[in-house]
Amino acid sequence: MDVDELKDFLSSYAVDILKQNGILKLFPPQVEAIRRGLFERKNMVVAIPTASGKTLIAELAMVKEVIDGGKCLYTVPLRALANEKFEEFKKWEKIGIEVGITTGDYESKDEWLSNKDIIVATAEKADSLLRNNASWMKDITCLVVDEIHLLDSADRGAVLEVLIAKMRRINPNLRIIALSATIPNADEIAEWLNAELIKSDWRPIPLYEGVFVNGRIELYNSEGLVDVKTVGRNFEDLVEDCLREGGQVLIFDSTRRNAENTALRLSSITAKYSDSSELRDVAKAILEENEGEMSKKLAECITKGCAFHHAGLLNSQRIAVEKAFRQGLIKVVCATPTLSAGVNLPARRVIIKSYYRFDGFSRPIKVMEYKQMAGRAGRPGMDEKGEAILIVRSEAEKNKVLKTFIFGKVENVRSKLGAENHLRFHSLSLIAEGFANSLKDLENFFSQTFFFHQNEISLSYELERVVLQLDSWGMVEFDYDSVKPTKLGKLISRLYIDPLTGYIFLEELKRSEELSEFDVLYLISRCPDMEHIYVRKTDLDWLTDEALLHGIPFDDWSLRELKTALCLRDWINEVDEDVICSKFGIAPGDLRRLIETAEWLTNALARIGEFLGIKGLDRFVMRIKHGVKEELLELVELKGIGRVRARKLFRAGIRSKEDLIRHKDRLPTLLGKKIAENVLEQLGIH
């Protein structure tokens, strides 16, 4: 179908935007979606492979919705994906469609988004907007849920289905477009959403899946074996075979360390196919925010056309790697499996170096995870085919892999909403937001979820137990005929924390109104919402000493909580970032993520403290945010002055905003001319 035919449904200006972005013809699944009612406000579940045009289907529906006076919300699982989609959708601003994005600050209403036509958000952020009564959420007429198969996720799935159920309750005429990879029970999701199912295995580039065994590649399609190619005995030969023919390679490894080591090993090969002069700027960008050991290792690899990619990298570093790979400057990226569910990063050859994943213990990946990785193979417009290759060591292993992964059935998506922590978290929000005023109301709401659609079992016993628990914690008032939120319950819901976290904070604050620096950090590290740092054998000696000092048990979990608290203590006492990463065995990206979570939880603690009449905890929020001692808080309030520059000013005798004005002539020397001008402008000095 030619895009000009869309003029019958959209404006000619909208069609021009598509043409300007190189879209001249529509893919078969996109044509099928139009034929089945894409422009008729039907709910749709689109289950098609990676790179087959899912996002454009949603875009066409949203543009039509906006033209007809509607407002759209596009939800994604990850912030990185939100940023990518936001940039992608901004092209529609040329025809007057306003696009916005929101991903952070779970206590904000973001009322400025009321004027936007298409809003991109993570599912958690969208849910938090409902909890905080963002007025514009009731105006949403079209909800797009990207990666709907993540209903299966133990972490994110429950939020997704409760968000959908809430939005349907708020707006009975809400249109839902759900996007997914190919899954066996997409029809079940379509039934739940009363939606048309667009399901296809069509891809713009054929995908061949196979194995590398005894020096040869064996490639298969749905019919069976289609090609055998001898490339050499080693893994390096498999990579170079693709580079020699002008392709790029994406390698998935089981751990960060393996991904880094693989990238180092391959850099001598990629150097032969790369332009080092163009890569120097990319390497320089990697070191801009951090010059630690890992960053230097990554920069060194990049100068030779290779890179690694995992959650330990800073966000700016991940973006730099992805951009350079898309531009063809980086030839090989070695990643952990987290990338497979993240941003769009195709390569001619995808190599799954290990089909095991380590998350506390080693386990085989799901077939769904394998298919997500394999789906990255094939660059549209650049490759004639994509190849996804598993590394195996014997004929016996080959046969097992073929049966399990290549010809194996993808697992059904199963709701995870029935877990107690999810029921507790969402029941409080439903009561606080007025969706439920009784146990019967709660049951009725949960009967609209995917969990009930799939299981058709009553949650009455579990819900009563959860509500009794919330009542005992003072978050709801329950008398069997009715249930209503207390002021505390409403606050806990708005803060977007687990009610158990709220209870832990409340009890500690009641016991001790005066919390020390360590008390605060250990308290937030003990709550279920905190991400904890893994304890290495080499940590046991010094951690045991700290545990004895603070009267903390020696069990593994308590030591993880203690190590997390001590890491944050070093951070707010201005220990160098690289020193912290080395001491605690974490990467810069891990530290930033830990800081972000700690800031959110400490803010929640401060708000609960205010509720109890306890003041002063907000200073810890700012200390965690900026990583400084209390004496620098006034300086770091100013943009451009971080922990290092603030300490430099303090040592020079400049310790307040008044001092900055008084010593304005010294600032260019201490801060540099541009930063000094910016700081003085913030202080009203021009």
Side-chain angles (χ1 to χ4, degrees), residues 62 341 463 598:
M62 290 193 296
L463 290 173

Side-chain angles (χ1 to χ4, degrees), residues 300-536:
E300 181 191 341
C301 286
I302 284 174
T303 59
K304 297 175 181 177
C306 196
F308 51 85
H309 187 295
H310 55 61
L313 300 186
L314 295 172
N315 188 47
S316 60
Q317 293 174 332
R318 290 199 299 269
I319 290 170
V321 168
E322 290 158 14
K323 184 179 177 183
F325 189 72
R326 286 196 190 101
Q327 291 172 335
L329 299 176
I330 291 175
K331 302 301 179 184
V332 175
V333 167
C334 305
T336 50
T338 48
L339 181 65
S340 64
V343 292
N344 181 27
L345 210 64
R348 179 179 298 178
R349 182 171 288 172
V350 168
I351 300 172
I352 295 92
K353 194 159 169 274
S354 170
Y355 50 88
Y356 282 85
R357 189 169 184 174
F358 185 82
D359 46 13
F361 59 92
S362 187
R363 62 169 177 84
I365 60 174
K366 286 184 171 184
V367 180
M368 167 68 87
E369 285 184 82
Y370 160 73
K371 292 294 183 185
Q372 282 187 319
M373 295 184 217
R376 301 282 170 193
R379 299 167 299 176
M382 297 175 71
D383 299 326
E384 291 181 4
K385 65 177 181 179
E387 298 173 348
I389 300 169
L390 282 148
I391 306 289
V392 296
R393 289 156 193 82
S394 67
E395 288 294 315
E397 188 184 4
K398 179 188 86 172
N399 293 331
K400 177 187 166 188
V401 159
L402 288 174
K403 183 180 177 182
T404 304
F405 294 109
I406 295 176
F407 296 112
K409 186 185 176 188
V410 174
E411 301 85 359
N412 280 351
V413 169
R414 301 292 307 174
S415 170
K416 301 299 189 290
L417 181 58
E420 184 179 340
N421 60 322
H422 295 317
L423 291 177
R424 179 175 66 220
F425 182 66
H426 293 293
S427 291
L428 179 60
S429 87
L430 293 169
I431 296 163
E433 292 166 63
F435 285 103
N437 299 311
S438 67
L439 265 183
K440 191 71 178 169
D441 288 346
L442 267 182
E443 281 188 65
N444 286 339
F445 183 92
F446 281 107
S447 73
Q448 304 303 308
T449 62
F450 185 56
F451 177 86
F452 184 84
H453 180 83
Q454 225 172 19
N455 299 286
E456 294 192 1
I457 56 171
S458 170
L459 287 167
S460 58
Y461 172 75
E462 289 83 356
L463 290 173
E464 184 175 343
R465 196 154 53 84
V466 162
V467 171
L468 283 167
Q469 184 73 80
L470 293 172
D471 180 68
S472 72
W473 290 346
M475 296 175 194
V476 303
E477 292 175 355
F478 178 44
D479 66 5
Y480 290 93
D481 288 324
S482 72
V483 58
K484 58 184 181 181
T486 62
K487 286 184 179 178
L488 172 66
K490 286 183 176 181
L491 174 63
I492 299 295
S493 178
R494 288 198 306 273
L495 292 171
Y496 213 70
I497 56 176
D498 186 328
L500 178 56
T501 292
Y503 173 70
I504 291 168
F505 286 175
L506 193 72
E507 289 301 294
E508 192 62 42
L509 288 169
K510 282 178 180 176
R511 268 198 300 271
S512 174
E513 291 189 10
E514 201 57 48
L515 295 178
S516 69
E517 176 183 283
F518 178 79
D519 291 337
V520 168
L521 299 178
Y522 186 56
L523 177 55
I524 63 169
S525 298
R526 284 198 294 120
C527 70
D529 285 308
M530 178 52 102
E531 181 180 331
H532 298 107
I533 303 175
Y534 181 71
V535 174
R536 305 165 296 182

Side-chain angles (χ1 to χ4, degrees), residues 164-202:
I164 292 168
K166 282 181 182 177
M167 293 295 290
R168 293 173 91 177
R169 183 73 69 90
I170 290 167
N171 183 353
N173 296 316
L174 179 74
R175 185 190 192 184
I176 299 173
I177 308 283
L179 310 178
S180 171
T182 307
I183 48 175
N185 62 331
D187 55 336
E188 205 173 7
I189 297 172
E191 283 172 19
W192 171 51
L193 296 176
N194 189 26
E196 290 279 331
L197 174 60
I198 311 298
K199 190 169 183 177
S200 172
D201 291 324
W202 183 89

Side-chain angles (χ1 to χ4, degrees), residues 603-622:
N603 176 66
L605 177 67
R607 292 294 311 279
I608 294 168
E610 286 171 16
F611 177 82
L612 296 173
I614 300 168
K615 298 191 183 300
L617 289 169
D618 53 344
R619 73 185 189 276
F620 289 108
V621 182
M622 299 309 293

Side-chain angles (χ1 to χ4, degrees), residues 43 326 629 647:
N43 289 349
R326 286 196 190 101
K629 295 178 180 176
R647 180 53 63 191

